[in-house]
Amino acid sequence: MLRFGALVLCGGKSRRIGKNKAYLLKDNEPFISIIVNKLSEIFEEVVIAVDETQKYTQIINNRVKVVEDKRNYYGPIEGLRQGLKISQKDYIFVCGCDMPNISKDCIIELAGYIDYSYECILPFIEKPQVLHGFYSKSLYTKIESGSYFSIKGLLDDVKVKYVSKFNCNIKESVININTKEDYIKFLGGANG
């Protein structure tokens, strides 16, 4: 197991798709269950950041910690803030609840770039993949200051290691589902 933690962001409103993305299905299993199961195989600590705890009671168990967003309308940066606050680890792997193809191999490969001189380690696949990377616990203080309204804004002020070459299928691992069209396409191409 990796000595770092993991954080799944589940606080979005899912407006573009019209339903809670965490409960979209792949092979009759909710995305959130797939993701938590994969992360639990890699990390000792798995945290889920949610907008409302009662929406997620069916997946809460002794394997995961749940933290609720305290500030509305901040989006993923608020989930990251709460996750970093509760985490006991130096770094946490952050992903969205709409990423059922995250790859254990890709996560482990990315973790290999952590050397404590960078505050973030992110894949760069056409653009920075901000919801598929490692974030240092030290970033909590910066985010807590309240001057950041997005993760991308935070990245402008921190030391980031961008990784663009992988041995794993990183393009598959970073796929996220945002719209009904994305989901239909995903189901058509999903093969288990």
Side-chain angles (χ1 to χ4, degrees), residues 9-48:
L9 300 177
C10 297
K13 302 301 179 201
S14 304
R15 288 185 187 102
R16 289 183 284 174
I17 202 162
K19 59 174 82 172
N20 188 335
K21 293 190 288 184
Y23 289 111
L24 294 175
L25 300 176
K26 176 184 178 183
D27 298 331
N28 294 317
E29 187 176 359
F31 283 7
I32 189 63
S33 296
I34 294 167
I35 294 165
V36 166
N37 288 338
K38 284 181 186 178
L39 296 176
S40 295
E41 292 174 13
I42 307 169
F43 299 101
E44 294 173 3
E45 176 190 80
V46 178
V47 177
I48 302 174

Side-chain angles (χ1 to χ4, degrees), residues 51-97:
D51 56 342
E52 298 174 44
T53 305
Q54 65 266 20
K55 291 182 186 177
Y56 298 91
T57 54
Q58 70 188 58
I59 55 134
I60 295 172
N61 57 46
N62 60 356
R63 292 186 315 170
V64 299
K65 297 177 185 177
V66 177
V67 64
E68 197 169 287
D69 292 349
K70 302 295 183 214
R71 300 189 289 204
N72 292 331
Y73 311 112
Y74 276 74
I77 193 82
E78 173 61 8
L80 178 59
R81 181 177 81 97
Q82 294 300 328
L84 289 169
K85 181 179 181 180
I86 195 174
S87 178
Q88 300 298 308
K89 304 297 182 179
D90 293 338
Y91 282 84
I92 56 173
F93 174 78
V94 177
C95 68
C97 67

Side-chain angles (χ1 to χ4, degrees), residues 108-176:
I108 291 167
E109 188 173 341
L110 194 61
Y113 288 95
I114 296 174
D115 65 3
Y116 294 87
S117 62
Y118 292 95
E119 295 163 293
C120 291
I121 297 87
L122 301 175
F124 192 98
I125 311 302
E126 298 173 18
K127 62 181 182 179
Q129 302 296 318
V130 299
L131 295 185
H132 190 291
F134 284 90
Y135 290 79
S136 170
K137 173 86 171 172
S138 66
L139 292 172
Y140 173 75
T141 305
K142 285 187 178 185
I143 299 170
E144 182 65 13
S145 73
S147 56
Y148 297 100
F149 298 95
S150 71
I151 292 176
K152 288 180 182 173
L154 173 69
L155 295 180
D156 291 339
D157 289 343
V158 301
K159 194 168 180 190
V160 183
K161 169 78 173 177
Y162 291 109
V163 182
S164 57
K165 295 189 181 197
F166 286 84
N167 294 313
C168 64
N169 188 349
I170 190 67
K171 286 186 179 182
E172 189 74 13
S173 190
V174 300
I175 289 173
N176 66 324

